[in-house]
Amino acid sequence: MNNNFNLDEKAIEKKVKLTGWVAKIRKLGDLIFFDLRNSGKIVQIVITSDKEKIYQIAKKITKEDVILVEGIVKKRKSINQKLATGVIEIIASNLKIISKANQLPFIIADQTDGLEPLRMRYRYLDFRRENIYQIIKFRSDFNMIIRNYFNRLGFLEIETPTITKLTFGGASEFKVLSKNHPGYQYGLAQSPQIYKQLLMYGGIEKYYQIAKCYRDEDLRKDRQLEFTQLDLEKAFTTKKEIKKIIEKLLVKLFNNLLKLDLKIPFQTLKYKQAIDNFGTDKPDLRYQGKIYNFNFLKERLKFNLNQQESLIAVFSPKLLNQSKINDYLLKIKQKTDFYFINFKNKKILDTNLQDAIKVDFLKLLKNNQDLILKKDQFSILIIKNKALIAKEIAGKLRVLIAKENKLINKEQFSFVWIEDFPLFYLLKDLKIGSMHNPFTIFKQNQLKKFLKIDIKSKKELLKLNSEAYDIVLNGVEIGGGAMRIIDPKIQTKIFQILDLNQQQIENDFAFLLEAQTYGVPHHGGIALGIDRLIALMLKIDSIKEVIAFPKSSKGTDEMMGAPTKKGDISNE
Amino acid sequence: MNNNFNLDEKAIEKKVKLTGWVAKIRKLGDLIFFDLRNSGKIVQIVITSDKEKIYQIAKKITKEDVILVEGIVKKRKSINQKLATGVIEIIASNLKIISKANQLPFIIADQTDGLEPLRMRYRYLDFRRENIYQIIKFRSDFNMIIRNYFNRLGFLEIETPTITKLTFGGASEFKVLSKNHPGYQYGLAQSPQIYKQLLMYGGIEKYYQIAKCYRDEDLRKDRQLEFTQLDLEKAFTTKKEIKKIIEKLLVKLFNNLLKLDLKIPFQTLKYKQAIDNFGTDKPDLRYQGKIYNFNFLKERLKFNLNQQESLIAVFSPKLLNQSKINDYLLKIKQKTDFYFINFKNKKILDTNLQDAIKVDFLKLLKNNQDLILKKDQFSILIIKNKALIAKEIAGKLRVLIAKENKLINKEQFSFVWIEDFPLFYLLKDLKIGSMHNPFTIFKQNQLKKFLKIDIKSKKELLKLNSEAYDIVLNGVEIGGGAMRIIDPKIQTKIFQILDLNQQQIENDFAFLLEAQTYGVPHHGGIALGIDRLIALMLKIDSIKEVIAFPKSSKGTDEMMGAPTKKGDISNE
């Protein structure tokens, strides 16, 4: 069927047949105008009253009806510059209603009155909005660029199973029941991690996949039950090579899709640097301001700090007060002791510090001119808390203050690699946990240290660093990867450190440990969260908007009605 | 790292550094030769005894060790034509064992002693065999061709959810449990069917996806719990257009991957033709022989047939006898009455027909020369059974006889479209079932008939034909599609015919019926089974071989050990 909506001057005087949705209806004297829409494109249709039969049909047409129009392409009298087809219009010679549309639940236009839950319930109507259609198209183009890129580099696209074994406690895995195996259960794969390692063991040097992953996690804002990641792994590789592969991919994506030139290599921060300077391992570097360790004040300024406490400072260009700071803390959902000092013309204007300290503080700052912003007035907010908490709070306040004072350039895309992570961290139950995953290798120069280390020596274990790397865009982690363990002895020791007993290791990982005894290459890889990256590229807040059929924040499908109560379905 | 295995004459005298697996070891006097393998490529390494240190290392190396070699590329004295790198070899100057390989469970070579279950349990070792690597690569190339093709046609790749609502009885759906919704369950999507229809309703004219699908069906040979299909749908389309899109895609796939030119358009058979001539709607047309309705013999030859019985004949180039025919029936797991007549030089040589009938039969055949094979000798086997069963048995015997007599050209790829299917068929419980799916529309000229039809009038319902089409390759259905219902009144009546009560329709399909009230385009599409198509293209019997990590025929993962018994995992 001739349904070409790409009409321009060349089509003038041609006969066409178009089917689509009626996006807009205007009446002007004896004329009726329709904006006919299909796949994000619009063509203007004109119905003249001299064609009595079709004029009567046209009068019955309402918004979002699907209609068939035949007619002649004519040059428009007043050109619409906003439309690709704005030079022409169709004078209808035949008109048919294919499918009538009822009263719509929300306005089908870029500016809609439909709130998110309603739009998601009627997602198929949402797709008809030009801006939503463009997001769906963007995502399709995005995937194609990725595939062409890896295909050219000789990576093989390999599908790995999604129905798999429940692993490693399985606390975050959906459980799958099959009628063929009553009393047994599968898990939905959280990622292709183990499979891609096995591909490497199998001599497949370069693997990638745009993979569905599943996590049955506590419901948090903007998480999805199923999400999509670009997953890749390479044998005989280095951290440096993987980073380069990803940087060049991002250059290509941003260039092709956004016409932006990213500068590579991206900045790299060590984990410790990131925490010390920004209070987070996901720093938003669109704002240059840092947080500062003010512990040098401890003794000299007689602060009452206990051993574990630190003083971490963050600067505000606007003057602060008790109530404003409490507002800030409420917004980031934190409670802490703090001090603030407002400066005007290099003098203290206002503070909640004791007078005695105040004088000393001013003296001190005079000797540390670099700490003072080159502004007439500014404020220093000092968080007093345990070191890690103080940094975290200061880091969050840094971003909040930057946003409130419009110090973040929203046009900017600021990438940073974070590396030299700790290999382990302390869980809430004081057990040792993997910072990334249990397959990540420590830094090469720590091999001897690792081999000697006692698996119970938490202090020593927490000092180890991993060969892992995260990539952060505008303060959001968009991906993470690592070099992997290939030695079954090291792998076993890691499992023991993570407090897996012999039975658990045997049950869950015997096959992996055996696999590592048949000749295994060095390898490493990375996974990028595609939903999140697309949302960031398009400056969209919620990943729901970039997923064709997302679940609600509660993990429910409000359109179809899922999940369903057990026993509600006929076969149970 | 320099790990280039694409070495030819141009590399001679260059220094290289290669890492890979030791595929073969040969000792020749003071020399040790390794075939070093990586990603399906082989390079010959030579260790000379004058380099004492590395010679000692080389002596310790066993098959499938991962090693690092540095050396100079030299021209070989005797060129190996079978290898891409057969002109050169590397004289090692440095050698390092990266990872030792234990005794292997099976031989890593195209010809292996490993049977399927063992190979699948150690699938990562299986990947190291050149022929398996090539299958994995083939599949990656296959997907890339599909994506480029649809991208060029303007189809958008759209991911649809796999965690969805349990639908339509849900008898073949895996059930998914989430810790966030105790007492509730999701289903794993059997296909993107409903979602792609919603995309069409949403004005996305062209959709495709290479989609994971899930079916919790009774375990049958060569079925997988999860499988992959090419899924597509187009608005404002026709059966003709969809068939053309698929034919052109297949031309491209066969041309690029197998260097074969397919002739299009493919042959089309109506469902009735297929059943009458081949006893199946999945005819293998690499063999031209048909089955024949011999009911004309009924009266004239005084066969004792009851009303429902038919006589369906199949020809054999080899003479048959009672025991051979019983063998055949055993192989196809059927029991039936039958007659056979062996002919030699146009005379009856042998038969289990009564003498009286024999004479008549010969006369009859003389008047129907077209029924007689132009061979000196042949046999006619006549199945006596209920019409449909007789056809089915004859159809199966047709293929079996063709295979046994090597009448099938195994090099051939024989495509055929089957269309004009019945819309409904009779289920075992005598309820009405959809031949394809409940969203398939009947043929356009049957609209009036359908609107009048009583939902209980099975006889009339079974006469309706659908606008569905299957594509069959070498006797295997590789895909099926249809034009869809867009009218909620028709859709509701179909659900009622399928014996869904008001409550079930409301529960499972209210959203779909509502969606059809907001202006819906005509649309249709198709889904191709990718695993099966790749297996057929590569002439591989089992789809397991073309899936990276397949499940066993019992639906288990023998490598990792899944599913696991409920209660076996720590969090339960």
Side-chain angles (χ1 to χ4, degrees):
Chain A
M1 185 188 288
N2 170 1
N3 203 31
N4 178 13
F5 274 65
N6 296 316
L7 297 171
D8 57 17
E9 279 190 324
K10 278 173 265 169
I12 288 171
E13 295 307 328
K14 283 191 182 152
K15 197 171 174 182
V16 293
K17 193 169 169 179
L18 297 180
T19 320
W21 284 258
V22 176
K24 276 187 196 165
I25 302 171
R26 290 181 302 282
K27 286 182 187 165
L28 202 69
D30 277 353
L31 301 174
I32 301 177
F33 294 90
F34 295 138
D35 273 4
L36 193 68
R37 186 192 61 234
N38 182 32
S39 282
K41 295 195 184 68
I42 297 277
V43 170
Q44 177 163 291
I45 311 293
V46 188
I47 318 285
T48 55
S49 62
D50 57 328
K51 297 184 192 93
E52 179 60 20
K53 201 180 135 200
I54 67 166
Y55 192 75
Q56 290 308 322
I57 296 172
K59 286 207 287 189
K60 286 181 205 151
I61 288 171
T62 54
K63 270 193 190 179
E64 296 303 319
D65 285 357
V66 176
I67 63 169
L68 174 76
V69 180
E70 287 178 280
I72 306 289
V73 181
K74 295 283 181 185
K75 187 162 184 158
R76 278 208 211 181
K77 281 184 192 114
S78 57
I79 286 164
N80 182 343
Q81 303 284 5
K82 284 181 203 156
L83 279 185
T85 63
V87 185
I88 58 95
E89 60 191 9
I90 315 288
I91 309 299
S93 58
N94 196 6
L95 187 62
K96 202 179 145 187
I97 300 173
I98 304 273
S99 173
K100 279 294 296 174
N102 276 352
Q103 177 79 36
L104 297 153
F106 55 86
I107 294 170
I108 310 289
D110 283 6
Q111 297 299 323
T112 180
D113 56 346
L115 297 181
E116 190 194 274
L118 193 68
R119 291 196 293 109
M120 293 303 165
R121 196 179 151 196
Y122 294 96
R123 187 64 162 153
Y124 49 93
L125 296 178
D126 209 26
F127 292 144
R128 296 185 193 171
R129 296 165 59 215
E130 166 74 10
N131 45 354
I132 304 295
Y133 179 86
Q134 291 305 336
I135 293 171
I136 301 290
K137 183 171 186 324
F138 184 97
R139 185 166 181 140
S140 175
D141 295 342
F142 178 97
N143 281 357
M144 202 65 213
I145 292 167
I146 290 179
R147 293 193 165 108
N148 277 320
Y149 176 79
F150 283 106
N151 187 52
R152 265 194 299 268
L153 288 181
F155 279 71
L156 300 189
E157 183 197 356
I158 302 173
E159 276 179 75
T160 55
T162 53
I163 295 186
T164 185
K165 179 179 173 138
L166 281 171
T167 52
F168 211 46
S172 298
E173 284 175 346
F174 290 101
K175 293 174 181 60
V176 178
L177 308 182
S178 162
K179 65 179 179 192
N180 291 311
H181 299 277
Y184 286 74
Q185 46 196 13
Y186 300 91
L188 285 181
Q190 293 191 57
S191 83
Q193 183 65 36
I194 299 261
Y195 292 108
K196 69 177 178 177
Q197 295 189 194
L198 294 171
L199 290 172
M200 297 300 111
Y201 304 174
I204 293 166
E205 196 186 4
K206 299 172 189 172
Y207 144 86
Y208 88 99
Q209 182 185 194
I210 294 182
K212 268 279 170 81
C213 302
Y214 304 86
R215 280 186 206 163
D216 190 19
E217 286 178 316
D218 296 327
L219 294 168
R220 269 197 263 166
K221 208 178 162 271
D222 222 23
R223 278 276 177 92
Q224 288 284 311
L225 316 187
E226 53 185 306
F227 57 97
T228 306
Q229 70 183 34
L230 164 63
D231 192 52
L232 69 95
E233 194 81 3
K234 189 177 177 303
F236 314 118
T237 192
T238 56
K239 178 174 73 177
K240 196 176 155 190
E241 187 183 38
I242 299 292
K243 285 168 70 177
K244 205 167 167 182
I245 288 170
I246 293 299
E247 285 172 350
K248 285 187 174 173
L249 170 66
L250 287 165
V251 164
K252 203 164 274 285
L253 286 167
F254 275 73
N255 188 280
N256 288 9
L257 296 169
L258 299 179
K259 311 290 164 214
L260 287 177
D261 288 317
L262 296 183
K263 273 183 199 121
I264 56 169
F266 301 145
Q267 185 179 353
T268 295
L269 288 176
K270 289 182 193 299
Y271 175 82
K272 195 178 173 316
Q273 281 181 299
I275 298 291
D276 287 349
N277 291 319
F278 306 104
T280 173
D281 57 359
K282 302 166 190 52
D284 188 342
L285 298 188
R286 288 177 298 177
Y287 169 53
Q288 293 298 320
K290 295 180 180 177
I291 61 171
Y292 293 90
N293 188 322
F294 271 26
N295 284 349
F296 59 85
L297 295 178
K298 274 188 186 183
E299 287 191 20
R300 294 173 61 185
L301 299 184
K302 302 161 202 150
F303 272 90
N304 281 329
L305 293 176
N306 66 37
Q307 196 64 26
Q308 298 179 315
E309 279 182 325
S310 275
L311 296 172
I312 306 295
V314 55
F315 284 71
S316 164
K318 267 197 200 138
L319 299 185
L320 300 174
N321 59 44
Q322 203 86 25
S323 116
K324 181 71 193 165
I325 296 167
N326 282 329
D327 273 2
Y328 279 158
L329 290 171
L330 204 65
K331 274 192 188 166
I332 62 168
K333 290 173 190 148
Q334 299 283 352
K335 280 183 186 173
T336 188
D337 291 338
F338 60 82
Y339 305 99
F340 69 93
I341 314 125
N342 287 325
F343 289 87
K344 194 160 187 174
N345 300 326
K346 303 192 180 182
K347 281 184 186 152
I348 294 178
L349 188 73
D350 186 15
T351 178
N352 64 345
L353 287 169
Q354 293 163 15
D355 277 354
I357 299 177
K358 224 163 95 174
V359 178
D360 280 351
F361 195 87
L362 203 56
K363 270 188 214 157
L364 185 93
L365 282 182
K366 276 192 180 150
N367 297 329
N368 291 275
Q369 288 289 336
D370 60 315
L371 286 178
I372 299 185
L373 285 177
K374 282 156 195 149
K375 303 259 178 173
D376 290 346
Q377 62 175 38
F378 65 95
S379 181
I380 302 178
L381 173 56
I382 304 173
I383 307 300
K384 178 187 165 210
N385 213 316
K386 286 185 189 169
L388 274 176
I389 297 173
K391 284 177 194 172
E392 189 189 332
I393 293 175
K396 285 181 178 166
L397 290 173
R398 168 187 169 270
V399 174
L400 189 59
I401 288 170
K403 279 186 181 160
E404 288 226 340
N405 291 287
K406 299 199 165 57
L407 299 176
I408 289 180
N409 175 2
K410 292 204 171 173
E411 293 309 305
Q412 203 182 331
F413 291 96
S414 183
F415 287 94
V416 56
W417 290 101
I418 312 293
E419 51 188 48
D420 286 8
F421 284 89
L423 186 61
F424 299 113
Y425 74 113
L426 217 50
L427 296 168
K428 277 180 192 158
D429 60 6
L430 297 183
K431 282 187 186 174
I432 291 283
S434 285
M435 193 87 173
H436 279 80
N437 65 39
F439 317 110
T440 300
I441 192 69
F442 38 78
K443 288 188 81 74
Q444 223 175 342
N445 59 16
Q446 296 178 333
L447 175 62
K448 278 186 193 164
K449 200 169 159 187
F450 179 81
L451 293 178
K452 275 188 219 157
I453 217 161
D454 186 285
I455 62 168
K456 299 284 175 204
S457 165
K458 286 178 190 170
K459 206 178 151 191
E460 289 306 306
L461 288 169
L462 292 173
K463 283 183 195 162
L464 290 170
N465 293 105
S466 73
E467 200 68 302
Y469 34 83
D470 281 359
I471 181 165
V472 173
L473 168 57
N474 295 353
V476 180
E477 183 196 322
I478 57 166
M483 296 293 123
R484 322 295 178 186
I485 296 165
I486 63 169
D487 181 332
K489 283 188 221 81
I490 292 175
Q491 186 67 74
T492 302
K493 188 166 176 178
I494 296 272
F495 289 143
Q496 289 164 345
I497 289 167
L498 298 173
D499 206 27
L500 270 69
N501 63 39
Q502 204 47 42
Q503 187 58 42
Q504 287 171 315
I505 295 174
E506 185 67 27
N507 273 354
D508 284 359
F509 297 113
F511 76 95
L512 185 76
L513 295 168
E514 184 188 359
Q516 290 174 350
T517 67
Y518 294 117
V520 179
H522 292 121
H523 60 287
I526 195 166
L528 295 193
I530 282 187
D531 308 302
R532 181 65 58 203
L533 177 53
I534 292 175
L536 285 167
M537 286 178 79
L538 292 174
K539 301 183 189 305
I540 291 169
D541 284 336
S542 166
I543 61 168
K544 285 196 207 94
E545 300 287 344
V546 305
I547 295 170
F549 295 99
K551 300 283 187 297
S552 77
S553 306
K554 285 177 185 156
T556 58
D557 177 335
E558 298 294 333
M559 179 174 65
M560 296 193 178
T564 42
K565 210 166 185 175
K566 225 177 144 178
D568 267 5
I569 15 179
S570 43
N571 68 322
E572 297 221 74
Chain B
M1 187 187 286
N2 172 0
N3 203 31
N4 178 13
F5 274 64
N6 296 316
L7 296 170
D8 57 17
E9 281 189 323
K10 278 173 261 168
I12 287 170
E13 296 307 328
K14 283 192 181 151
K15 198 169 176 189
V16 293
K17 192 168 169 183
L18 297 181
T19 320
W21 283 259
V22 175
K24 276 188 196 162
I25 303 172
R26 288 180 305 278
K27 285 181 188 166
L28 201 70
D30 278 354
L31 301 174
I32 301 178
F33 294 90
F34 294 138
D35 274 5
L36 193 69
R37 188 193 58 234
N38 182 30
S39 281
K41 294 196 183 71
I42 297 278
V43 170
Q44 178 162 289
I45 311 293
V46 188
I47 318 286
T48 56
S49 61
D50 58 327
K51 295 181 192 97
E52 179 59 20
K53 201 181 135 199
I54 67 166
Y55 192 74
Q56 290 308 323
I57 295 171
K59 286 208 288 189
K60 286 181 206 152
I61 287 170
T62 54
K63 270 192 190 179
E64 298 301 321
D65 286 355
V66 175
I67 64 170
L68 175 77
V69 181
E70 286 177 285
I72 306 288
V73 181
K74 294 284 181 185
K75 188 163 185 159
R76 279 209 210 181
K77 284 186 188 109
S78 58
I79 286 164
N80 181 344
Q81 303 284 3
K82 283 180 204 155
L83 279 186
T85 62
V87 185
I88 59 95
E89 60 191 11
I90 315 288
I91 310 298
S93 58
N94 196 9
L95 187 63
K96 202 178 147 189
I97 301 174
I98 305 274
S99 173
K100 281 293 298 174
N102 276 352
Q103 178 78 37
L104 297 152
F106 56 85
I107 294 170
I108 309 288
D110 282 7
Q111 297 298 323
T112 180
D113 56 345
L115 298 179
E116 189 194 275
L118 194 68
R119 292 196 293 108
M120 293 304 165
R121 196 179 150 195
Y122 294 97
R123 187 62 162 155
Y124 48 93
L125 297 177
D126 209 28
F127 292 144
R128 296 185 194 171
R129 297 165 61 214
E130 166 73 9
N131 45 355
I132 304 294
Y133 178 85
Q134 291 304 336
I135 294 170
I136 302 289
K137 182 171 185 325
F138 184 97
R139 186 168 181 139
S140 175
D141 294 343
F142 178 99
N143 281 357
M144 201 65 214
I145 292 167
I146 290 179
R147 293 193 166 108
N148 277 320
Y149 175 79
F150 284 106
N151 188 51
R152 264 194 299 268
L153 289 182
F155 279 71
L156 300 190
E157 184 197 356
I158 301 173
E159 276 179 75
T160 54
T162 53
I163 296 185
T164 183
K165 180 179 172 138
L166 281 169
T167 52
F168 210 44
S172 298
E173 283 174 347
F174 290 101
K175 293 176 182 58
V176 178
L177 308 183
S178 162
K179 66 179 179 192
N180 291 312
H181 298 279
Y184 285 74
Q185 45 195 13
Y186 300 91
L188 286 181
Q190 293 191 57
S191 83
Q193 183 64 38
I194 298 262
Y195 292 108
K196 69 177 177 176
Q197 295 188 194
L198 294 171
L199 290 172
M200 296 301 111
Y201 304 175
I204 293 166
E205 195 185 7
K206 300 172 187 172
Y207 143 86
Y208 88 101
Q209 181 184 195
I210 294 182
K212 268 282 172 77
C213 303
Y214 304 85
R215 280 186 207 165
D216 190 21
E217 287 178 315
D218 296 328
L219 293 168
R220 268 197 265 167
K221 211 178 158 272
D222 222 22
R223 278 276 178 91
Q224 288 283 313
L225 316 186
E226 53 185 305
F227 57 97
T228 306
Q229 72 183 34
L230 164 62
D231 192 53
L232 69 94
E233 194 82 4
K234 190 176 176 302
F236 313 117
T237 191
T238 58
K239 178 174 73 179
K240 196 175 157 192
E241 187 184 38
I242 298 292
K243 284 168 71 177
K244 203 166 169 185
I245 288 169
I246 292 300
E247 285 172 348
K248 285 188 175 174
L249 170 67
L250 287 164
V251 164
K252 204 165 275 283
L253 286 167
F254 275 72
N255 188 281
N256 288 10
L257 295 169
L258 300 178
K259 310 290 165 214
L260 287 177
D261 286 318
L262 297 183
K263 276 186 196 114
I264 55 169
F266 301 146
Q267 187 179 351
T268 294
L269 288 175
K270 288 182 194 299
Y271 175 81
K272 193 176 174 320
Q273 281 181 301
I275 297 290
D276 287 348
N277 291 319
F278 307 103
T280 173
D281 57 359
K282 301 166 190 52
D284 188 342
L285 298 187
R286 288 176 299 176
Y287 169 54
Q288 293 297 319
K290 294 180 179 178
I291 61 172
Y292 293 90
N293 189 322
F294 271 27
N295 283 350
F296 59 87
L297 296 177
K298 273 187 185 184
E299 287 190 17
R300 295 171 61 185
L301 299 184
K302 302 160 202 148
F303 273 89
N304 283 328
L305 293 176
N306 67 38
Q307 194 65 29
Q308 297 179 315
E309 281 181 323
S310 274
L311 295 171
I312 307 294
V314 57
F315 284 70
S316 165
K318 267 195 202 141
L319 300 184
L320 299 174
N321 58 43
Q322 203 85 26
S323 116
K324 181 71 195 164
I325 296 167
N326 283 328
D327 273 3
Y328 279 159
L329 290 171
L330 204 65
K331 274 193 190 166
I332 63 167
K333 289 172 191 150
Q334 299 283 352
K335 281 180 184 175
T336 187
D337 291 336
F338 60 83
Y339 305 99
F340 69 93
I341 314 126
N342 287 324
F343 289 87
K344 194 160 188 174
N345 299 326
K346 303 192 179 180
K347 282 181 184 153
I348 293 179
L349 186 73
D350 185 18
T351 178
N352 65 344
L353 289 168
Q354 293 164 16
D355 279 353
I357 299 178
K358 223 162 95 173
V359 179
D360 281 352
F361 196 87
L362 202 57
K363 271 188 215 157
L364 185 93
L365 282 183
K366 276 193 182 149
N367 298 327
N368 292 275
Q369 289 289 337
D370 59 313
L371 286 178
I372 299 186
L373 284 177
K374 281 157 197 150
K375 301 261 178 172
D376 291 344
Q377 59 175 39
F378 65 94
S379 184
I380 302 179
L381 174 55
I382 305 173
I383 306 302
K384 178 188 164 210
N385 211 318
K386 285 185 190 169
L388 274 177
I389 297 172
K391 284 177 194 171
E392 188 189 334
I393 293 174
K396 284 182 177 165
L397 291 172
R398 168 187 171 270
V399 174
L400 189 59
I401 289 170
K403 279 186 182 159
E404 287 225 342
N405 291 287
K406 298 199 165 56
L407 299 176
I408 289 179
N409 175 4
K410 292 206 170 170
E411 294 308 305
Q412 203 182 331
F413 291 96
S414 183
F415 287 93
V416 55
W417 289 102
I418 312 293
E419 51 186 51
D420 284 9
F421 285 88
L423 185 62
F424 299 113
Y425 74 113
L426 217 51
L427 295 168
K428 277 179 192 159
D429 60 5
L430 298 183
K431 281 188 186 175
I432 292 283
S434 285
M435 194 87 170
H436 279 80
N437 66 38
F439 317 110
T440 300
I441 192 70
F442 39 79
K443 289 188 81 74
Q444 223 175 341
N445 59 18
Q446 296 178 333
L447 174 62
K448 277 185 192 163
K449 202 170 159 184
F450 179 83
L451 293 178
K452 276 186 217 158
I453 218 161
D454 186 285
I455 63 168
K456 298 286 174 201
S457 166
K458 285 179 192 170
K459 207 178 151 190
E460 289 305 306
L461 289 170
L462 291 173
K463 284 184 195 163
L464 291 170
N465 293 105
S466 72
E467 199 70 301
Y469 34 82
D470 280 0
I471 180 165
V472 173
L473 169 57
N474 295 352
V476 179
E477 183 196 321
I478 57 165
M483 296 294 122
R484 322 295 178 186
I485 297 164
I486 61 168
D487 180 331
K489 283 188 220 81
I490 293 175
Q491 186 67 74
T492 302
K493 188 166 178 179
I494 295 272
F495 290 142
Q496 288 164 345
I497 290 166
L498 298 172
D499 205 27
L500 270 69
N501 62 39
Q502 203 48 42
Q503 186 58 43
Q504 286 170 316
I505 296 174
E506 184 67 28
N507 272 354
D508 284 357
F509 298 113
F511 75 95
L512 185 75
L513 295 169
E514 185 188 359
Q516 290 174 348
T517 67
Y518 294 117
V520 179
H522 293 120
H523 60 288
I526 194 166
L528 295 193
I530 282 187
D531 309 301
R532 181 64 59 202
L533 177 54
I534 292 174
L536 285 167
M537 288 178 79
L538 292 173
K539 301 185 190 305
I540 291 169
D541 284 336
S542 166
I543 60 167
K544 286 195 205 92
E545 299 287 344
V546 306
I547 295 170
F549 296 98
K551 299 284 187 298
S552 77
S553 306
K554 286 178 185 156
T556 58
D557 177 335
E558 297 295 331
M559 179 174 65
M560 296 193 179
T564 42
K565 210 166 184 174
K566 225 177 145 179
D568 268 6
I569 16 177
S570 44
N571 66 321
E572 298 223 73

